[in-house]
Amino acid sequence: MCVSVISLALLSWAPVADRLLQPFESDYPSLVAFPHDQQPKAVMVLGADYQPNQPWTLTGQLSGAAINRLAEGLRLWHQAPDLPLIVSGTDRRPNIRSMALGYAALAHQLGVPESHILALTEPRDTGEEAQAAARLLGQGASLILVTSASHMPRAVKHFRAAGLQPIPAPTHYLALRDDRDTLGYWIPSARHLRKSERAFYETLGLLAVRWE
């Protein structure tokens, strides 16, 4: 019992949680400027969490991770507005509106022409997103890949396995956001525990990629 309590406290403590998560988030640097020299065929934003049945606007229905991903995708797309913006994701539950359609609706409201938005409404996970992108763009295609920084190492492996050349554009950083001079950094909290949870989740996800 004592060991469990101590382990929970440590995993909820920022110095430990950041140490666990930061290696995942630092695998690929931020993509500051659009890499025109690599001739990507599209900008693709991967799915996250979405609550379409709630009586909120799209910015509320999309999770914080989803909003970060879409914002980064739009930032890069506006540097090459002739390219398609691919948005993806669906829900495993029946009769739930696809997350890709939520992305598409918000992207259109924020200035992307409907003719430039390609919504992949069938993929249920990262591997299926990669396969769908390969069918759409063709083997060997280069594309800007936008997802959360901690998810990027696993996403890149999936997209390379699908025969694509992803250009990582990580966003939604969670680690190293707290100032060490603040009390909140040193007090265990559920927010820091979620960082540890994300690190363990991505560790298992990377192992799973080897088995697929």
Side-chain angles (χ1 to χ4, degrees):
M1 180 66 177
C2 183
V3 173
S4 298
V5 171
I6 293 173
S7 297
L8 182 61
L10 287 173
L11 293 173
S12 305
W13 194 39
V16 173
D18 284 354
R19 179 68 64 88
L20 291 172
L21 187 60
Q22 199 269 337
F24 292 94
E25 296 191 339
S26 61
D27 259 15
Y28 297 97
S30 297
L31 189 63
V32 177
F34 194 93
H36 292 280
D37 58 321
Q38 298 185 54
Q39 299 181 330
K41 289 188 174 181
V43 175
M44 183 169 181
V45 180
L46 300 189
D49 297 322
Y50 180 43
Q51 298 294 330
N53 291 338
Q54 295 293 347
W56 309 325
T57 64
L58 282 167
T59 54
Q61 292 175 347
L62 294 169
S63 68
I67 290 292
N68 268 257
R69 294 178 188 189
L70 184 60
E72 180 67 1
L74 293 177
R75 183 187 72 83
L76 291 163
W77 178 84
H78 279 292
Q79 297 179 48
D82 291 334
L83 293 181
L85 175 69
I86 303 174
V87 290
S88 66
T90 192
D91 199 298
R92 293 180 182 274
R93 297 169 295 174
N95 304 317
I96 299 294
R97 186 173 187 245
S98 169
M99 142 139 252
L101 297 180
Y103 268 154
L106 185 55
H108 179 56
Q109 291 180 23
L110 295 176
V112 183
E114 289 183 341
S115 59
H116 284 60
I117 302 172
L118 299 175
L120 304 180
T121 60
E122 298 299 323
R124 296 169 298 175
D125 56 36
T126 310
E128 291 185 4
E129 288 176 315
Q131 294 295 332
R135 289 192 296 269
L136 181 66
L137 300 176
Q139 290 287 308
S142 173
L143 77 162
I144 304 293
L145 182 62
V146 183
T147 190
S148 298
S150 61
H151 179 230
M152 186 61 76
R154 179 160 57 98
V156 166
K157 287 184 180 296
H158 276 295
F159 276 72
R160 287 176 177 166
L164 295 167
Q165 299 179 45
I167 302 169
T171 187
H172 188 234
Y173 293 87
L174 299 178
L176 306 181
R177 300 193 74 90
D178 294 87
D179 191 335
R180 290 174 179 241
D181 295 330
T182 63
L183 186 61
Y185 180 81
W186 300 102
I187 296 178
S189 73
R191 181 167 59 86
H192 300 313
L193 181 60
R194 285 193 289 271
K195 299 178 192 177
S196 297
E197 178 188 24
R198 173 55 51 181
F200 289 127
Y201 181 86
E202 290 302 332
T203 298
L204 293 174
L206 284 170
L207 291 174
V209 172
R210 301 179 183 178
W211 303 332
E212 295 181 358

